[in-house]
Amino acid sequence: YGHYGEEEDVGQQGLQPTTYDPGLFIVTCRIGAEREACLQLLQKCYDLAERGTPLQIKSAVCLDHLKGFFYVEAFRDSHVVEAVRGLRTIYAGKGARLVPLKERAAAITVNRQAKAAIERDSWVRVRGGLYKDDLGKVVDVDFAAGRATIKLVPRLDLTAMAKDHMSTDRRRNPFGRQAVRPPPKPFRAKEAGELGLPVGKDRNDPAIITLNTHRFIDGYTLRNYTLKGLILQDTAPPLDEISRFNQAGQSDLEDTADPTSHLQQLLKSMPDGAAPKATFVKGDRVVVTGGDLATLEGEDWADMV
């Protein structure tokens, strides 16, 4: 009875692999077919087990960040080579390499913190290129490919693009690249169409507007970047910068929008707990609680607070 609690309390050290456990072997496969290779190996295990000749492997696992390789657990490398022989996505001729005992746990450990670093609706900045240091918002993340789709305030000179489009000499600027970095400005399909630019709609998503190789939605441009090409904003960006970013998405509704819509969008973009506890509107009676004008009463007359 004295050892009952000790048996239940298994330390982390007791979960580490030992020399009595099956070895972890790394196997080479076709790049991009890591999951397919594991499924083929699983199907082969089932088929041979039903015939009464099961394979001598224990498990197989592939990781999203490991391209062209996957892991197989077995006691001997010959068991692994025999198991993968005949599978079209696996290079059985390259054999199986044993992962050192000290590296086995780290080899198959998923870095959850790194994956959670950049996620949908995160604020990021671009490391380089035309949009260097510009503020963007993540729309979608593909961890397997290591890429993310973000929306930014476009930096396009539509007038220069229209001249290049109408020009017969396409060698001067064949891809519509900007010689000088234009200022950020919301995209308007009507303005681009009036300039004679080929504006269209995406086949898969009619809400996305296309212009050559550019894609736009709600006045923003959609661009794909590698995760290494983006800088995550650990804290909320400055309020004036968030306000300018949100106003880009409201450029088509400026004439009919509610005067307080910019403030509402700004408050929604702020992290939880950062928004003020009280919301003021024009005409409210207020009392100054700090500063040189403390204790004075007045009437709120500003459109935005």
Side-chain angles (χ1 to χ4, degrees):
Y1 296 102
H3 300 284
Y4 180 77
E6 297 179 3
E7 292 178 359
E8 284 191 344
D9 186 15
V10 179
Q12 195 69 19
Q13 187 66 26
L15 301 178
Q16 297 297 319
T18 66
T19 55
Y20 299 101
D21 296 320
L24 188 67
F25 296 87
I26 187 167
V27 181
T28 307
C29 66
R30 192 173 66 234
I31 296 178
E34 298 83 11
R35 290 179 179 270
E36 183 181 356
C38 284
L39 290 175
Q40 289 178 358
L41 188 56
L42 177 63
Q43 186 62 49
K44 185 177 180 179
C45 287
Y46 286 153
D47 294 341
L48 294 181
E50 290 181 353
R51 299 177 186 177
T53 56
L55 296 176
Q56 300 299 315
I57 62 173
K58 304 303 179 181
S59 66
V61 60
C62 64
L63 302 177
D64 292 337
H65 68 273
L66 191 63
K67 303 299 181 182
F69 302 95
F70 69 100
Y71 294 105
V72 178
E73 191 180 19
F75 281 103
R76 295 183 180 180
D77 57 347
S78 58
H79 295 166
V80 179
V81 174
E82 181 64 26
V84 302
R85 182 178 287 117
L87 300 181
R88 64 178 184 274
T89 58
I90 301 175
Y91 303 129
K94 294 187 177 182
R97 291 176 294 165
L98 179 64
V99 178
L101 182 63
K102 295 182 179 180
E103 301 178 7
R104 291 180 192 176
I108 59 176
T109 299
V110 179
N111 190 351
R112 299 183 183 276
Q113 184 176 2
K115 279 194 171 186
I118 294 181
E119 57 186 7
R120 190 171 183 177
D121 293 333
S122 297
W123 291 107
V124 294
R125 293 191 187 275
V126 182
R127 289 187 182 274
L130 178 64
Y131 293 91
K132 182 178 180 180
D133 297 329
D134 279 8
L135 183 66
K137 200 167 190 178
V138 178
V139 177
D140 188 29
V141 184
D142 185 353
F143 292 111
R147 303 186 67 86
T149 302
I150 68 173
K151 61 181 182 180
L152 300 148
V153 181
R155 287 185 178 271
L156 297 176
D157 189 346
L158 296 180
T159 303
M161 293 178 64
K163 291 181 180 179
D164 291 337
H165 179 70
M166 300 301 294
S167 176
T168 57
D169 184 11
R170 300 295 296 167
R171 294 176 298 177
R172 182 167 58 90
N173 196 3
F175 300 105
R177 295 175 179 172
Q178 311 298 316
V180 180
R181 189 188 192 196
K185 180 183 177 182
F187 175 79
R188 296 183 179 180
K190 182 178 180 182
E191 178 184 356
E194 292 175 350
L195 294 173
L197 292 172
V199 179
K201 291 187 177 181
D202 189 85
R203 295 180 180 179
N204 300 324
D205 189 352
I208 297 178
I209 300 174
T210 61
L211 174 58
N212 296 333
T213 59
H214 303 281
R215 298 187 305 152
F216 306 91
I217 184 169
D218 298 332
Y220 301 100
T221 179
L222 295 175
R223 298 181 69 88
N224 296 321
Y225 288 94
T226 62
L227 297 181
K228 295 182 179 179
L230 299 174
I231 303 174
L232 178 67
Q233 294 294 105
D234 296 331
T235 59
L239 296 183
D240 58 340
E241 196 169 7
I242 296 179
S243 179
R244 291 194 300 267
F245 184 90
N246 291 335
Q247 288 176 14
Q250 302 172 355
S251 59
D252 294 336
L253 305 174
E254 287 181 348
D255 297 335
T256 59
D258 182 21
T260 62
S261 60
H262 294 314
L263 179 58
Q264 294 173 357
Q265 290 293 329
L266 178 61
L267 295 177
K268 290 180 180 180
S269 302
M270 296 174 63
D272 296 338
K277 296 181 179 179
T279 301
F280 301 100
V281 296
K282 187 175 180 179
D284 286 350
R285 299 287 298 180
V286 296
V287 177
V288 182
T289 59
D292 297 335
L293 303 180
T295 70
L296 292 182
E297 297 184 8
E299 182 175 334
D300 179 19
W301 54 270
D303 289 339
M304 293 183 62
V305 180

